[in-house]
Amino acid sequence: MRAFREAVEALDPDAAEALLAPDVVFTSPVVFKPYTGKPITAAILRAVFGVFEDFRYVREINDENGRDHALVFTARVGDREIDGCDFIHVDDNGLIGELTVMVRPLSAAQALAAAMGAQFERIAEEARARSV
């Protein structure tokens, strides 16, 4: 999805959030259970913007009907190089209804989990404030 890619590349969390459906389902690469809802997904995205360094998309794959997209990226988390992919499904309203992130290698996923885990109380607090 071009608009999401542009928002992320511009480090514009507000623009990324505007593309999320109210009931978006976010599947993290490091947490078993998906997160549901725009407030928690937006808060996680904001945190990721601060955790990833040298982030850049390197490939974009789109299906013919324009509803499913894969955005392949590289980044760094601390001293770990990370390769990943954002899988996006667009709902009937043109908003992101599903966002699944996958990353590799394991050592980079572990570094990401640690960095995000250190911020999760703040992320949850931000999500609660946005839900009101």
Side-chain angles (χ1 to χ4, degrees):
M1 164 180 250
R2 174 72 48 192
F4 183 77
R5 178 179 181 162
E6 290 173 355
V8 172
E9 290 176 331
L11 299 176
D12 186 345
D14 294 329
E17 180 179 356
L19 299 168
L20 301 175
D23 59 349
V24 61
V25 175
F26 173 73
T27 304
S28 164
V30 296
V31 178
F32 175 73
K33 182 182 166 200
Y35 297 97
T36 301
K38 188 173 184 173
I40 188 66
T41 302
I44 290 169
L45 287 175
R46 286 178 191 284
V48 168
F49 280 18
V51 168
F52 279 158
E53 299 173 61
D54 302 327
F55 181 93
R56 67 185 178 91
Y57 284 116
V58 296
R59 186 175 313 120
E60 183 173 342
I61 304 164
N62 301 297
D63 77 343
E64 60 190 40
N65 70 17
R67 300 220 20 213
D68 292 294
H69 311 271
L71 302 173
V72 181
F73 64 84
T74 63
R76 192 169 41 80
V77 177
D79 65 349
R80 300 292 176 183
E81 297 293 326
I82 192 165
D83 297 307
C85 190
D86 294 335
F87 294 98
I88 298 169
H89 178 75
V90 177
D91 69 11
D92 292 336
N93 298 313
L95 296 172
I96 297 172
E98 297 173 29
L99 174 58
T100 300
V101 180
M102 298 185 138
V103 297
R104 63 157 308 279
L106 178 59
S107 62
Q110 291 167 330
L112 176 60
M116 291 298 290
Q119 297 187 46
F120 204 78
E121 191 169 315
R122 184 193 58 75
I123 292 168
E125 185 177 308
E126 180 182 332
R128 281 191 296 275
R130 290 176 172 275
S131 296
V132 177

